[in-house]
Amino acid sequence: MNPNECTLYSSGHKGTEAEFGTQAERWGVQEVNFSYEGREPVRNRGVVVLSPEEMMRGDISMEIVCMHMGRSYSSVETIRKVMQLLFHMVNKGFQVFGIGWIQPNDTVKGGTGWAIELAKLFNRPLSVFDLQRGRWFTWEDRAWAENEPVIEHGTFVGTGTRNLPEAGRRAIEDLYRRSFDASAKR
C-alpha cells in the first residue's frame, strides 16, 4: 500500500486520534478530521466541519446505543455528537483501527466502542489494540483473534481513548511502520 494513496478518517480528538493523525502526516497519508461548529479538534489538518443536517445523518437513539453497548451514558447531548462523528468516520473509512479496552461482552470501553460496533455492523475490517493485554486483536467470525494488522485499504479510521498511554502510541507507530515501511515487510 502506498501511503500517499491512503486517507485516514478521524475526528482529531486528543489522545489516540491525534496520534493517528501525527503518524498519518509523518507517513504522507491524507487526513480528514470530522468536526462540528463550535468544536476545536486537537488536529487541524484536513478538518471538515459537518453542518447540523450532516450531523443528523449519523444520529441514532441513545437508547439503542445504550442497549447495544450494555451501558449508559451520563452526558447524552455531548455523547450524541460524538456518536454522530463516529458514524461519519466509519461510513467513510473502510478499515477500522481502535485503541482501547476490549470488554468481556466483546464491546470496547467508552465512546470508542460505538465506532467498533459500527464497524462490526457495516462489516468493515476491524482491529483493536487492547490496552489491558498489550496486543492487537482482529474481529473475525464474530470473535476477537490475536493478530498484527496492517493498513490494507485506501481509506481507514483511527480512533480510541483520549488518554493514550505509551503502549498505545507505540502500537499506532508500529501499525504505520508495518504497513508502509518496505524494510519492515521483509
Side-chain angles (χ1 to χ4, degrees):
M1 196 91 252
N2 181 341
N4 296 329
E5 297 171 356
C6 293
T7 302
L8 164 68
Y9 287 94
S10 192
S11 76
H13 197 51
K14 76 175 190 169
T16 298
E17 293 185 7
E19 185 61 29
F20 266 103
T22 297
Q23 292 301 319
E25 189 170 9
R26 176 177 173 231
W27 286 94
V29 170
Q30 297 173 64
E31 186 177 357
V32 173
N33 287 300
F34 289 116
S35 191
Y36 51 85
E37 195 65 43
R39 179 177 175 271
E40 294 293 325
V42 172
R43 297 282 306 166
N44 58 15
R45 183 173 172 247
V47 173
V48 173
V49 177
L50 299 171
S51 70
E53 294 80 20
E54 290 170 314
M55 289 289 287
M56 286 304 295
R57 286 189 212 131
D59 201 27
I60 187 165
S61 162
M62 289 307 295
E63 291 156 355
I64 292 172
V65 172
C66 292
M67 184 178 68
H68 197 76
M69 299 296 294
R71 63 185 78 110
S72 61
Y73 297 92
S74 57
S75 179
V76 174
E77 285 314 306
T78 301
I79 200 71
R80 178 183 308 282
K81 287 185 177 184
V82 170
M83 301 300 174
Q84 291 169 339
L85 287 178
L86 293 169
F87 166 82
H88 286 279
M89 291 161 46
V90 176
N91 192 46
K92 292 294 259 180
F94 187 72
Q95 192 173 13
V96 177
F97 298 97
I99 307 290
W101 294 267
I102 298 173
Q103 304 297 292
N105 67 357
D106 287 335
T107 65
V108 173
K109 183 178 178 182
T112 303
W114 187 241
I116 302 310
E117 291 306 301
L118 286 172
K120 291 176 186 176
L121 290 168
F122 294 177
N123 201 29
R124 302 283 202 246
L126 168 63
S127 298
V128 172
F129 184 80
D130 184 0
L131 289 164
Q132 180 70 32
R133 294 180 271 184
R135 296 187 303 275
W136 282 100
F137 292 85
T138 296
W139 185 251
E140 297 174 350
D141 300 322
R142 303 179 61 84
W144 293 108
E146 190 172 341
N147 183 323
E148 281 212 332
V150 294
I151 299 166
E152 298 178 303
H153 299 276
T155 61
F156 65 98
V157 174
T159 190
T161 179
R162 65 180 174 264
N163 299 310
L164 183 66
E166 180 60 23
R169 191 197 63 71
R170 276 194 320 274
I172 296 167
E173 187 176 75
D174 290 346
L175 171 66
Y176 277 85
R177 183 187 47 74
R178 277 193 312 276
S179 301
F180 300 129
D181 185 351
S183 65
K185 295 178 184 173
R186 290 186 208 149

